[in-house]
Amino acid sequence: MATDVRNVEEKLDENLLAALPEGGKVVSVTPSGMSDYCNTFRIEVSMPDGSSQVFFEKEASGKEGLELMESAWASENTTYEFIPEHVPRPVKKGSYKSRPDRHFFLAEFIEMIEDDIPRPESYMTAIAALHSRSMGKSPDGKFGFPVNTRFGNLEQDNSWTGTWEEYWTRQMKDFLQREDAAHDGEHHAELERLRPLFFEKVLPRFLRPLESDGRSVTPCLIHADLWPGNVKYQTDGETVCVYDACAMWGHNEVDLGVFRNPRYPLGKPYLKEYWKHVPISEPEEDVDSRNTLYMLRNQILLSTLYPHDHKLREIVVSNMKLLVDKVEAEEAAKSGPQTSTYQSRL
């Protein structure tokens, strides 16, 4: 157990100190980073041999705070299992002894370079390693996760499911319902027109072929929130640190959706680098449409988190329409020749 030797009135909680190195002395606690949903701190501990160890803490209160910490603990532990060279080592989750309604997550603190988006080679090497090393290691070969994880503070239903189409369809229905609730049921004629077509046509068209005609999706561990704020260079300027996962076992291409999002300066160079390490799922000709489909998840969740930014909702509508139009154009192309052939036989 460490001791808090700072000259401050409010010391660190006893349960948190118990998670820090035995014989260590806490010499500084400073805010670290920004979060809308929890408090974050950098904790420096002086060791008896004169060295220092530094830790990162998240804390939040109540039932939501407990669930946030459980999500962080499960996600970071599982991700660390497969790419420990890229993920801060999780140390402990627990609740304060002095305030049992306040909960914490503790991890090793990694120094990172801010405001420098990693190059495609560094960024995608870590992601490809996560997917490749975890491929086929999902419990019972199913899609899901042992706990419901969080995108921001939005709960993600990770109930175990046997097929990828069923899992993704359930998530999209849940996410779109919550997006609608976040906008107080505000009428949007085009979104209401597109929503049923999205489920009736788009999802079966681009997900079902992955698991048809002898093909299958092998679940791997996906991070599910790989925007540049969660992937930064370590101080060597070469190795990336990957953190703040909302993990699940799913189709590896889900993690690539964010790279298409024009909100972030990533794009095709990152996708091309990834495909050097991991093969494109069959049918390969659908990969671009699947990438748009998986990008929609990120955009729907952002529209839910920030409902006052109406541009975010319009981006969702635009990309949903793009996919619906593509499927309907395919349908029209198929029905056209059939009609002509039929008519020619009359």
Side-chain angles (χ1 to χ4, degrees):
M1 183 172 179
T3 56
D4 191 342
V5 299
R6 296 175 300 145
N7 186 24
V8 295
E9 183 175 341
E10 187 173 349
K11 305 284 189 178
L12 291 185
D13 182 83
E14 184 177 330
N15 286 351
L16 182 57
L17 289 170
L20 295 171
E22 182 71 28
K25 296 180 180 179
V26 175
V27 294
S28 72
V29 178
T30 54
S32 176
M34 297 177 61
S35 174
D36 295 331
Y37 315 108
C38 57
N39 300 316
T40 57
F41 300 98
R42 179 186 186 275
I43 302 172
E44 184 175 355
V45 180
S46 176
M47 300 303 296
D49 63 1
S51 64
S52 292
Q53 294 187 29
V54 185
F55 299 87
F56 171 78
E57 184 209 4
K58 288 183 179 184
E59 63 165 31
S61 299
K63 180 177 182 293
E64 181 176 288
L66 176 62
E67 292 171 349
L68 283 168
M69 298 308 114
E70 289 176 341
S71 168
W73 178 254
S75 292
E76 300 305 312
N77 260 299
T78 312
T79 309
Y80 181 80
E81 177 184 347
F82 293 105
I83 49 170
E85 70 272 34
H86 296 293
V87 176
R89 178 178 59 87
V91 175
K92 183 76 172 179
K93 75 171 175 72
S95 302
Y96 287 171
K97 184 175 182 179
S98 58
R99 293 184 56 184
D101 68 330
R102 183 167 287 272
H103 315 285
F104 69 87
F105 164 79
L106 188 70
E108 173 188 24
F109 187 94
I110 301 294
E111 296 287 351
M112 291 175 275
I113 301 174
E114 297 292 335
D115 303 322
D116 188 5
I117 296 176
R119 298 181 303 276
E121 296 81 5
S122 299
Y123 211 122
M124 305 314 288
T125 294
I127 308 314
L130 172 64
H131 295 166
S132 299
R133 295 175 190 176
S134 64
M135 192 73 70
K137 297 181 180 178
S138 166
D140 299 320
K142 292 187 175 182
F143 304 97
F145 202 63
V147 302
N148 287 349
T149 46
R150 299 293 189 280
F151 182 96
N153 67 339
L154 297 176
E155 184 176 14
Q156 177 174 281
D157 180 3
N158 289 324
S159 303
W160 294 107
T161 308
T163 72
W164 178 239
E165 181 181 350
E166 180 185 354
Y167 180 84
W168 196 251
T169 299
R170 185 187 71 226
Q171 281 214 341
M172 289 299 99
K173 286 181 178 179
D174 181 43
F175 291 159
L176 281 167
Q177 287 172 358
R178 282 192 278 170
E179 195 272 350
D180 187 62
H183 289 263
D184 295 322
E186 177 184 344
H187 177 68
H188 193 299
E190 183 66 350
L191 181 57
E192 291 174 17
R193 180 186 76 84
L194 291 168
R195 189 183 289 117
L197 298 173
F198 180 70
F199 290 106
E200 293 166 12
K201 296 186 175 187
V202 172
L203 294 190
R205 167 61 187 86
F206 295 117
L207 296 183
R208 195 162 299 166
L210 290 165
E211 300 175 295
S212 302
D213 299 325
R215 293 183 289 265
S216 62
V217 176
T218 302
C220 72
L221 189 69
I222 60 177
H223 181 285
D225 192 12
L226 287 169
W227 75 291
N230 289 341
V231 183
K232 295 184 183 296
Y233 277 127
Q234 298 182 34
T235 52
D236 64 6
E238 293 292 336
T239 308
V240 298
C241 184
V242 181
Y243 54 98
D244 265 4
C246 54
M248 59 179 167
W249 292 92
H251 184 204
N252 62 295
E253 291 180 14
V254 170
D255 266 343
L256 306 183
V258 69
F259 295 92
R260 191 186 192 95
N261 195 334
R263 184 182 180 92
Y264 310 120
L266 301 170
K268 289 184 178 180
Y270 290 81
L271 295 173
K272 289 179 179 178
E273 181 63 31
Y274 178 84
W275 298 128
K276 293 178 183 178
H277 304 277
V278 181
I280 297 173
S281 298
E282 296 289 347
E284 186 172 336
E285 60 268 23
D286 289 344
V287 66
D288 191 65
S289 296
R290 292 195 301 264
N291 193 227
T292 302
L293 175 61
Y294 293 146
M295 175 183 64
L296 263 173
R297 170 189 178 273
N298 180 268
Q299 293 177 334
I300 292 167
L301 292 171
L302 288 173
S303 179
T304 307
L305 286 171
Y306 308 110
H308 300 298
D309 187 345
H310 297 290
K311 290 182 294 185
L312 293 173
R313 192 174 220 197
E314 293 308 317
I315 291 170
V316 170
V317 172
S318 175
N319 284 299
M320 192 177 288
K321 184 177 186 302
L322 182 72
L323 290 170
V324 169
D325 287 350
K326 182 167 187 175
V327 174
E328 291 187 334
E330 288 180 351
E331 291 174 344
K334 288 179 180 178
S335 64
Q338 291 174 1
T339 302
S340 299
T341 301
Y342 175 73
Q343 290 175 340
S344 69
R345 292 176 180 173
L346 292 177

